[in-house]
Amino acid sequence: MKSLKFLNNLRRESRQYAVIGLGRFGRAVCETLHKLGYEVLGTDIDESLVAQVLTDNIVSSAIQLDSTKPNALKEAGIFEFDTAIIAIGNYIEESIITTLNAKEGGVKWVVAKASSEIHGKLLQRVGADLVVFPEYDAGCELAYTLTKPAILEKFDLDPDHSIVEIIVPQEFHGKTIEELNLRNRYKVSVLAIGKEDKFKINPNPQEKLDKNLVMVVIGSNKDIQRLPI
Ligand code: ATP
């Protein structure tokens, strides 16, 4: 649940983001945050990548710096940001030093990208508040997408449990939650039923399910995978 609490705090408090490292991952983070209307500062040691994010207009501002140098981060005002994303995957030493610098400089939330399990452990040791494994996560996501049921949204609670939004399976159509005995049969609980932005939270067990609606369920990933299409 640590990551859930972390993400909630992050969403509530963060309005400005500093992204350190402008590779494919860092650029994608910049672009999405910028599109969502947040203030994003992009930085990289490579001047051409800094120039590119400005040309592509995917950041609010950008600056060339070496993030292993605490003074460079301080001068760029990065310690004033409430969230820093350390998007350096291949240069492990640089990634760890940068994470340490950001935490020691007082950045409240530091999210760091790891390229391996040991890298992730080291990042946690130096104070990263959230460590992400994009390649691993993308692989898992792809597997979920390719297999049933049709998961529209997925929120990981921990590595084994999640909350997912799925289309009501065909064989559940016209049946009530009680009749389907979902808790005992599939070991999942239905948190909400609805469509787009209109959801009924904690639906009544006597409520009939409709294949045109979506349902939000909580359970283990294994049990969720057992749900029919
Ligand atoms: P991708 O996101 O493309 O998969 P990656 O995670 O493999 O990238 P790296 O190649 O490790 O990322 O580095 C990402 C960026 O971090 C690079 O553009 C690199 O120039 C930058 N970078 C590396 N060291 C530093 C540093 N000391 N200060 C600032 N930026 C750095």
Side-chain angles (χ1 to χ4, degrees):
M1 296 296 282
K2 191 184 167 222
S3 59
L4 182 61
K5 197 168 159 226
F6 171 80
L7 287 171
N8 280 339
N9 287 334
L10 202 60
R11 285 190 190 115
R12 208 175 306 131
E13 297 183 20
S14 295
R15 288 291 174 268
Q16 310 164 304
Y17 299 86
V19 177
I20 303 173
L22 298 171
R24 288 163 300 177
F25 176 77
R27 275 182 58 93
V29 174
C30 287
E31 188 171 9
T32 309
L33 288 170
H34 189 63
K35 251 191 227 156
L36 290 170
Y38 294 103
E39 187 188 330
V40 186
L41 166 67
T43 72
D44 201 288
I45 199 164
D46 183 337
E47 182 75 65
S48 67
L49 295 176
V50 172
Q52 194 63 51
V53 288
L54 288 169
T55 308
D56 296 342
N57 193 24
I58 58 169
V59 290
S60 320
S61 54
I63 186 165
Q64 185 272 338
L65 56 77
D66 179 352
S67 59
T68 60
K69 309 265 185 297
N71 268 344
L73 295 173
K74 193 171 178 210
E75 274 166 30
I78 287 176
F79 297 154
E80 263 60 71
F81 278 69
D82 32 39
T83 305
I85 296 106
I86 318 301
I88 306 175
N90 286 318
Y91 307 92
I92 297 189
E93 190 178 332
E94 282 77 355
S95 140
I96 289 161
I97 296 172
T98 304
T99 303
L100 182 71
N101 287 343
K103 279 318 283 182
E104 287 200 333
V107 179
K108 196 163 177 192
W109 305 108
V110 174
V111 181
K113 171 187 169 170
S115 55
S116 66
E117 207 175 316
I118 189 76
H119 185 190
K121 278 188 187 162
L122 290 166
L123 289 167
Q124 257 161 2
R125 284 287 172 106
V126 295
D129 299 285
L130 180 69
V131 176
V132 293
F133 300 84
E135 290 86 1
Y136 175 82
D137 290 345
C140 295
E141 273 314 314
L142 176 65
Y144 284 124
T145 312
L146 296 175
T147 57
K148 59 179 188 141
I151 293 176
L152 305 172
E153 288 274 6
K154 182 165 178 282
F155 187 91
D156 293 321
L157 294 170
D158 66 27
D160 302 316
H161 301 87
S162 51
I163 296 176
V164 298
E165 195 178 297
I166 59 170
I167 296 168
V168 170
Q170 178 79 38
E171 67 175 79
F172 291 178
H173 181 70
K175 297 191 176 126
T176 66
I177 297 174
E178 195 173 44
E179 226 176 305
L180 288 165
N181 198 10
L182 292 181
R183 270 206 193 149
N184 289 325
R185 230 170 103 203
Y186 291 99
K187 298 190 177 59
V188 299
S189 297
V190 180
L191 300 178
I193 298 176
K195 207 172 191 183
E196 282 152 20
D197 51 358
K198 265 202 163 179
F199 275 89
K200 212 179 264 176
I201 311 297
N202 275 332
N204 192 314
Q206 275 79 45
E207 177 111 10
K208 278 200 175 150
L209 296 177
D210 183 322
K211 65 175 180 351
N212 298 309
L213 297 180
V214 298
M215 57 195 244
V216 180
V217 302
I218 185 168
S220 75
N221 296 333
K222 256 193 205 154
D223 291 325
I224 290 169
Q225 283 300 299
R226 287 173 49 236
L227 288 167
I229 296 178

